Amino acid sequence: MVAWRYRAAGRAMRLYARIVRPRTFGVRALVLDPAGRVALVRHHYIDGWYLPGGGVDRGESADAAIRRELIEEVGLRAVTIAGLLGVYHNRGEAKDDHVVVYRCVVDDPAALRAADRREIAEAGWFSLDALPDGTSPATRRRIDEHRAGAHGIGRW
């Protein structure tokens, strides 16, 4: 019941972005557990699997934003930021979005869950070589960069 509201809100936000074209600043986390699996989320408002993350609020640092997003979306509080994967420019869906992707690690994979059930339909750990069907192309590119030991920059 709540999912349709988030899906409608997501469509409205994408329509707004096409009209206004605001510049936004976001963060994502490539979170790995001790087994080397990556945490992915599936939202109610858009199809596919993605790295957890979201927008940076006014007056908030990027590292504070990713910590907040990991708590809000997937319930991960004990996260170590291991470094930066890259900084990307997303022009998809009429966006003008800059995204900072952090490499993060957790010691307790059991803590991962869909913390905000209104936004997150599902959260899970996945082997880097067995990602779920529907994993977004940008998410796959970020994971490939990580596997190659590369630092990303440029196109989302």
Side-chain angles (χ1 to χ4, degrees), residues 72-109:
E72 289 176 0
E73 287 192 353
V74 293
L76 293 177
R77 293 182 181 280
V79 175
T80 301
I81 295 177
L84 257 164
L85 179 64
V87 179
Y88 307 88
H89 189 208
N90 183 4
R91 295 295 308 234
E93 298 179 1
K95 292 181 181 180
D96 186 9
D97 189 23
H98 286 84
V99 183
V100 175
V101 181
Y102 289 96
R103 295 179 201 250
C104 300
V105 294
V106 297
D107 292 329
D108 182 15

Side-chain angles (χ1 to χ4, degrees), residues 28 39-43 46-52 134-136 139:
R28 298 271 179 172
L40 298 178
V41 296
R42 192 174 58 77
H43 299 90
I46 192 168
D47 293 330
W49 288 89
Y50 298 86
L51 298 172
T135 300
S136 78
T139 299

Side-chain angles (χ1 to χ4, degrees), residues 38 40-42 48-50 122 124-127 129-136 139-140 143:
V38 65
L40 298 178
V41 296
R42 192 174 58 77
W49 288 89
Y50 298 86
E122 194 175 355
W125 292 108
F126 298 92
S127 171
D129 56 3
L131 299 175
D133 290 340
T135 300
S136 78
T139 299
R140 288 182 181 277
I143 291 169

